[in-house]
Amino acid sequence: MDAAGAPHPAPDRRGRALVAVVALVAVVAATLVAFSLGRLTATVDAPPSGTSAEAGFARDMQVHHDQGVEMAFIVRDRTDDEAVRLLAYDIARTQSQQSGQMYGWLAEWGLPQAGSEPPMTWMAEGGHEHGGTPASPGGALMPGMATPAELEELRNASGIDAERLFLELMIAHHRGALEMAEAYLDIGDRPTVTAFARAVVTSQLAEIALMEDMLAERG
């Protein structure tokens, strides 16, 4: 039951779908770890440049994932719905792990965590347009990012209202991550990053489908 006293939808089908998505994300995460460990034992390629698609993708996706973690922690404290809380926990755990992995790439490549070019510049190499909200003082755009006003609205919401807003924002956020991952797959060819981007596409498509169902249940 939400804060306003309205009952939540029956959890059976939603719970099964959520467990399936969590399992899929766990498999994807395990695959990424195994692939990365295998790459460490192989011959190391020359590191990419600081203005490469690999560097830009790693920097920008870190920022993107970090906001996803932030939104997940916000809604965790704004609802008592177990399905939403489990989804939020899984998003926070997975995206914080992936953010750390991308941080590690940049460190291994000997590149700074912040680049000299505006965010999303690397996407232009493949002719990709992107839309979103300002991600830097320079006004560069990051697809799917929530605005400060939207984050504040989420902080001030509770119960089913917070759940709806979180799902709406996170669906848009995941679609933005898909746009970034697909852009890298169009222009990048580094095996480790390519495997990572493909895993992002697989896991976030599954989560988008789940969140759309959860949102529909809430009217």
Side-chain angles (χ1 to χ4, degrees):
M1 184 171 294
D2 62 41
H8 285 290
D12 293 345
R13 182 170 62 85
R14 180 184 62 197
R16 288 195 298 270
L18 181 56
V19 169
V21 170
V22 170
L24 171 62
V25 172
V27 169
V28 168
T31 301
L32 286 172
V33 170
F35 186 87
S36 297
L37 290 174
R39 289 289 295 169
L40 289 176
T41 62
T43 302
V44 179
D45 296 330
S49 72
T51 58
S52 64
E54 288 77 15
F57 175 76
R59 290 171 180 138
D60 291 342
M61 192 63 89
Q62 275 191 76
V63 173
H64 207 270
H65 272 20
D66 289 347
Q67 189 188 71
V69 173
E70 179 183 6
M71 289 195 291
F73 280 133
I74 292 173
V75 80
R76 182 197 63 178
D77 297 331
R78 308 308 302 155
T79 180
D80 59 2
D81 183 83
E82 288 304 316
V84 174
R85 288 174 63 87
L86 178 58
L87 174 65
Y89 170 78
D90 187 63
I91 288 172
R93 180 181 58 82
T94 302
Q95 296 203 3
S96 61
Q97 177 185 7
Q98 291 180 347
S99 183
Q101 185 175 352
M102 290 180 283
Y103 183 99
W105 289 345
L106 291 166
E108 181 183 352
W109 297 335
L111 299 176
Q113 296 296 322
S116 58
E117 296 183 333
M120 313 312 299
T121 303
W122 61 274
M123 285 180 68
E125 293 181 23
H128 287 269
E129 295 181 357
H130 55 87
T133 56
S136 73
L141 299 180
M142 184 81 72
M145 292 282 279
T147 65
E150 287 169 333
L151 292 176
E152 187 62 22
E153 183 181 0
L154 182 59
R155 291 188 186 96
N156 292 329
S158 62
I160 198 167
D161 291 334
E163 294 160 19
R164 287 195 192 103
L165 182 56
F166 169 74
L167 292 167
E168 290 167 355
L169 293 176
M170 193 60 79
I171 288 169
H173 201 266
H174 274 31
R175 287 176 178 156
L178 284 175
E179 182 179 343
M180 294 165 68
E182 289 167 349
Y184 177 78
L185 291 172
D186 284 346
I187 60 179
D189 59 2
R190 195 172 188 89
T192 304
V193 185
T194 296
F196 179 94
R198 286 176 179 158
V200 168
V201 171
T202 298
S203 62
Q204 301 220 350
L205 279 173
E207 287 186 345
I208 287 171
L210 171 65
M211 290 189 289
E212 287 176 337
D213 286 346
M214 294 173 72
L215 184 59
E217 290 173 351
R218 287 161 174 78

